[in-house]
Amino acid sequence: MDILVIGSVAFDSIETPFGRGDDVLGGSATYFSTSASFFTGVQLVAVVGEDFPEEHRQFLTSRGVDLTGLQTCPGQTFRWKGRYGYDLNEAHTLETHLNVFETFHPQLPESYRQAKYVFLANIDPELQLEVLQQVERPQLIACDTMNFWIDGKRDALIRTLGHVDILVINEAEVRQLADEPNLVKASRAVLSMGPKTLVVKRGEYGVLVFTEHSIFSAPAYPLEEVFDPTGAGDTFAGGFMGYLAATNNLSDETIRKATVFGSVMASFTVEDFSLDRLRKLSWEDVEERFRRFQALTAFEGL
Amino acid sequence: MDILVIGSVAFDSIETPFGRGDDVLGGSATYFSTSASFFTGVQLVAVVGEDFPEEHRQFLTSRGVDLTGLQTCPGQTFRWKGRYGYDLNEAHTLETHLNVFETFHPQLPESYRQAKYVFLANIDPELQLEVLQQVERPQLIACDTMNFWIDGKRDALIRTLGHVDILVINEAEVRQLADEPNLVKASRAVLSMGPKTLVVKRGEYGVLVFTEHSIFSAPAYPLEEVFDPTGAGDTFAGGFMGYLAATNNLSDETIRKATVFGSVMASFTVEDFSLDRLRKLSWEDVEERFRRFQALTAFEGL
């Protein structure tokens, strides 16, 4: 099954203790699609400005990403500028220029409307709802969000969550959304808002997956070189959704394996700036690191 | 095999968002011994004042803890007062009164000197060295330490580490000891100081175990009720060392299983104040939670 994703395609300018990149390819939909493309086809919905170069389109197309839904509008592409300190868990936003994103409304091409797997990356929940109104009978809807929308567009977000099967957000956002400091209690509260599965991203500490009857914990891969955490969350979501769509199976077992594939993909992204590590990645690399996750977590039972 | 432990026996006064306890039983050696006693016998070395009540001795004795090495000195028992906010990962020390600990020098009873398993809880590394001079041919030495000693008694600590097989410390302390922000690089550096195994405690995020050729990741158990994190690290160490000593096996497989048993024990301690949860704990509870750790982390391989 292909996946429909809506999110941002952007230019990022990033400073970390290990180097910097200016106007490099970024954006939630970009990281998501590239990661998911290792597992399945992707239909992308986003907007760029007239400054968006052909080479980036060619890269995404070469990964099997359908760009029919990528609108080009007069003006500049969305730009984000951020800095990381040695605590690579937290990005400090220096500048955000929405540019063409400011007036964006998603228009799904006819060929996208039958999408069975849908991922609503972190954008205005009202735009997420506009997408849902245009897809006919999706089988699985997953979404991401952030503190900005939890705070500023809570009602629209709650409406979106009513349609969502899987919510993929950060630990602090779970607590904020539920207004509850205990993560387990907060997760139960979020599950009562609609999603049947909640994936809690904890940066370098990995991921917790809550369903009504089960909790699954996957670590992040301990890396000697973390250059740039930008896009790790969206890359995780791409691998996670990519595996679910490829297997077209939503059992608890498959969701667990998808979580590990998501963690594998994220562990590569942070090893280099922008999408540079994913550009060089082979399927053998992915399988090899999956096996390392097995070795990392294995212990004998009672 | 029995375990020899040296550390503190203390009265703690604790405030958390969920309640408070005044002058409750605490101390690293107390938590360690009680936890280890679910697996094996323990020989305790520590000091208390004349105010230490008989009921606490009776409790430890009832758990199979040998108190021959518990000195009673004129004066008051060590007291610690701390507060936790909603972020239960971090204790804010309000008061520390060393009292009888100030002039303490460990004197091992003759019956302790053959100890094969030794745990040096978080105390002055010079006292840790004094203990090592009094044990004859230990098979396994593990130790804990803290930022205060890494900063203030670095040379003595480095000497201690030269004798230590397993070091059990917090994530921030690994970075501080190695002066390196990347945890994997920092852990490699710490392993080069002597220990063959480094157990990195990450609070609610679990534990990473580094050896020369392997990394093992164990989550903390996600709990709906965390009342008091005091003693979680020492309780972990007690379960970890207790299982190693009980099996008298130091294979990688056994160390992994010991790590999970340590995590199981710690997950109980934080559910109530002081040692109250451990007082009521049965071996069936321990096994049942071990199985929950298996369910929490299991996923299908490739």
Side-chain angles (χ1 to χ4, degrees):
Chain A
M1 293 281 172
D2 285 1
I3 304 173
L4 169 65
V5 57
I6 171 152
S8 61
V9 172
F11 289 122
D12 291 341
S13 293
I14 297 150
E15 295 171 32
T16 82
F18 315 107
R20 57 183 296 156
D22 288 313
D23 280 344
V24 296
L25 180 59
S28 57
T30 317
Y31 280 103
F32 180 93
S33 311
T34 306
S35 176
S37 73
F38 283 80
F39 301 87
T40 190
V42 180
Q43 299 174 317
L44 183 146
V45 180
V47 61
V48 293
E50 289 158 327
D51 57 348
F52 194 71
E54 184 57 26
E55 65 173 291
H56 291 338
R57 288 177 208 268
Q58 279 174 7
F59 163 66
L60 289 166
T61 305
S62 77
R63 294 285 337 158
V65 180
D66 181 346
L67 300 184
T68 315
L70 180 63
Q71 300 172 35
T72 305
C73 290
Q76 294 230 305
T77 301
F78 176 48
R79 274 171 170 76
W80 177 76
K81 188 169 182 175
R83 182 188 289 150
Y84 298 88
Y86 279 104
D87 177 3
L88 293 161
N89 285 312
E90 202 184 347
H92 305 279
T93 293
L94 301 175
E95 293 174 26
T96 303
H97 302 284
L98 290 176
N99 297 333
V100 292
F101 228 96
E102 204 150 3
T103 55
F104 173 59
H105 286 277
Q107 294 291 339
L108 265 56
E110 200 53 44
S111 58
Y112 284 22
R113 294 175 185 243
Q114 316 285 327
K116 293 298 175 207
Y117 284 77
V118 177
F119 185 71
L120 309 168
N122 169 27
I123 53 168
D124 186 334
E126 292 181 9
L127 299 189
Q128 293 178 325
L129 284 165
E130 288 179 24
V131 169
L132 294 185
Q133 283 152 10
Q134 298 174 59
V135 285
E136 287 173 13
R137 299 183 62 181
Q139 191 172 320
L140 181 86
I141 300 168
C143 96
D144 188 3
T145 192
M146 69 185 292
N147 48 9
F148 186 72
W149 310 119
I150 296 173
D151 219 34
K153 293 232 176 162
R154 192 175 177 91
D155 290 349
L157 177 61
I158 297 288
R159 280 203 305 284
T160 301
L161 291 182
H163 299 279
V164 159
D165 301 290
I166 304 182
L167 178 64
V168 184
I169 56 178
N170 294 333
E171 185 171 29
E173 292 158 356
V174 176
R175 294 189 166 105
Q176 187 190 357
L177 182 56
D179 192 21
E180 161 62 51
N182 178 282
L183 187 63
V184 181
K185 285 185 190 167
S187 297
R188 302 267 172 246
V190 170
L191 288 179
S192 76
M193 297 175 186
K196 288 183 287 292
T197 301
L198 171 64
V199 180
V200 183
K201 298 178 287 183
R202 307 171 109 187
E204 66 170 311
Y205 299 108
V207 172
L208 279 177
V209 182
F210 290 86
T211 60
E212 194 186 343
H213 298 295
S214 141
I215 310 179
F216 174 55
S217 170
Y221 196 75
L223 292 166
E224 290 207 36
E225 306 288 351
V226 178
F227 277 101
D228 174 15
T230 310
D234 298 304
T235 306
F236 169 86
F240 174 79
M241 287 288 286
Y243 184 74
L244 290 181
T247 55
N248 194 22
N249 177 327
L250 300 172
S251 69
D252 189 60
E253 268 314 316
T254 314
I255 287 176
R256 286 175 176 234
K257 211 163 162 178
T259 303
V260 177
F261 271 116
S263 305
V264 164
M265 299 308 293
S267 77
F268 284 118
T269 283
V270 303
E271 288 182 341
D272 207 341
F273 275 98
S274 180
L275 294 134
D276 291 357
R277 184 66 185 91
L278 297 187
R279 288 173 192 268
K280 294 176 290 191
L281 195 68
S282 70
W283 181 249
E284 290 66 38
D285 295 333
V286 173
E287 287 200 331
E288 199 248 339
R289 189 155 293 176
F290 190 101
R291 290 201 183 86
R292 284 178 183 244
F293 269 85
Q294 291 178 252
L296 177 65
T297 55
F299 62 92
E300 271 176 16
L302 281 186
Chain B
M1 293 280 170
D2 285 1
I3 305 174
L4 169 66
V5 57
I6 172 154
S8 60
V9 172
F11 289 123
D12 291 341
S13 293
I14 298 151
E15 295 171 32
T16 82
F18 315 109
R20 59 182 295 154
D22 288 312
D23 281 343
V24 296
L25 180 59
S28 57
T30 316
Y31 280 104
F32 179 93
S33 311
T34 306
S35 177
S37 73
F38 283 80
F39 302 87
T40 190
V42 180
Q43 299 174 315
L44 184 146
V45 180
V47 63
V48 292
E50 289 158 328
D51 57 347
F52 194 71
E54 184 56 27
E55 65 172 292
H56 291 338
R57 288 176 209 269
Q58 279 174 7
F59 164 65
L60 289 166
T61 305
S62 78
R63 296 285 336 156
V65 179
D66 182 345
L67 300 183
T68 317
L70 180 64
Q71 299 173 35
T72 305
C73 289
Q76 293 229 304
T77 300
F78 176 48
R79 274 171 170 76
W80 177 77
K81 187 170 183 176
R83 180 189 290 149
Y84 298 87
Y86 279 103
D87 177 3
L88 293 161
N89 285 312
E90 201 183 347
H92 305 280
T93 292
L94 301 175
E95 294 174 26
T96 303
H97 302 284
L98 289 176
N99 297 333
V100 291
F101 228 97
E102 203 151 2
T103 54
F104 173 58
H105 286 276
Q107 294 289 340
L108 266 55
E110 199 53 44
S111 58
Y112 284 23
R113 293 174 187 245
Q114 316 286 328
K116 294 299 173 204
Y117 285 77
V118 177
F119 185 71
L120 310 168
N122 170 28
I123 53 168
D124 186 333
E126 292 179 10
L127 298 190
Q128 292 179 324
L129 284 165
E130 287 179 26
V131 169
L132 294 184
Q133 282 152 11
Q134 297 174 59
V135 285
E136 286 172 14
R137 299 184 63 182
Q139 193 173 317
L140 179 86
I141 301 168
C143 96
D144 188 3
T145 191
M146 71 184 292
N147 48 9
F148 185 73
W149 310 120
I150 296 173
D151 220 35
K153 294 233 177 160
R154 192 175 178 90
D155 290 349
L157 177 60
I158 297 288
R159 280 203 306 283
T160 301
L161 291 182
H163 299 280
V164 160
D165 301 290
I166 303 181
L167 178 63
V168 184
I169 56 178
N170 293 334
E171 185 170 29
E173 292 159 356
V174 176
R175 294 189 165 105
Q176 185 190 359
L177 183 55
D179 193 22
E180 160 63 50
N182 179 281
L183 187 65
V184 181
K185 284 184 189 167
S187 296
R188 302 268 171 246
V190 169
L191 287 178
S192 75
M193 297 175 186
K196 290 183 285 292
T197 301
L198 171 65
V199 180
V200 183
K201 296 177 287 182
R202 308 170 109 188
E204 66 170 311
Y205 300 107
V207 172
L208 279 177
V209 182
F210 290 86
T211 60
E212 193 186 343
H213 299 296
S214 144
I215 310 178
F216 174 56
S217 170
Y221 195 76
L223 291 167
E224 290 207 33
E225 306 287 350
V226 178
F227 276 99
D228 174 14
T230 310
D234 297 304
T235 306
F236 168 86
F240 175 79
M241 287 287 286
Y243 184 74
L244 291 181
T247 56
N248 195 22
N249 176 328
L250 301 172
S251 68
D252 189 59
E253 267 315 316
T254 314
I255 287 176
R256 286 174 177 235
K257 212 164 161 179
T259 303
V260 178
F261 271 115
S263 305
V264 164
M265 299 307 294
S267 77
F268 284 118
T269 284
V270 303
E271 288 182 341
D272 207 340
F273 275 96
S274 181
L275 294 134
D276 291 357
R277 184 67 185 89
L278 296 187
R279 288 173 192 266
K280 293 176 290 190
L281 196 66
S282 70
W283 180 249
E284 291 64 40
D285 295 332
V286 173
E287 288 200 331
E288 199 248 339
R289 190 155 293 175
F290 190 101
R291 290 201 183 87
R292 285 179 183 243
F293 268 85
Q294 292 178 252
L296 178 66
T297 55
F299 62 92
E300 270 177 18
L302 282 184

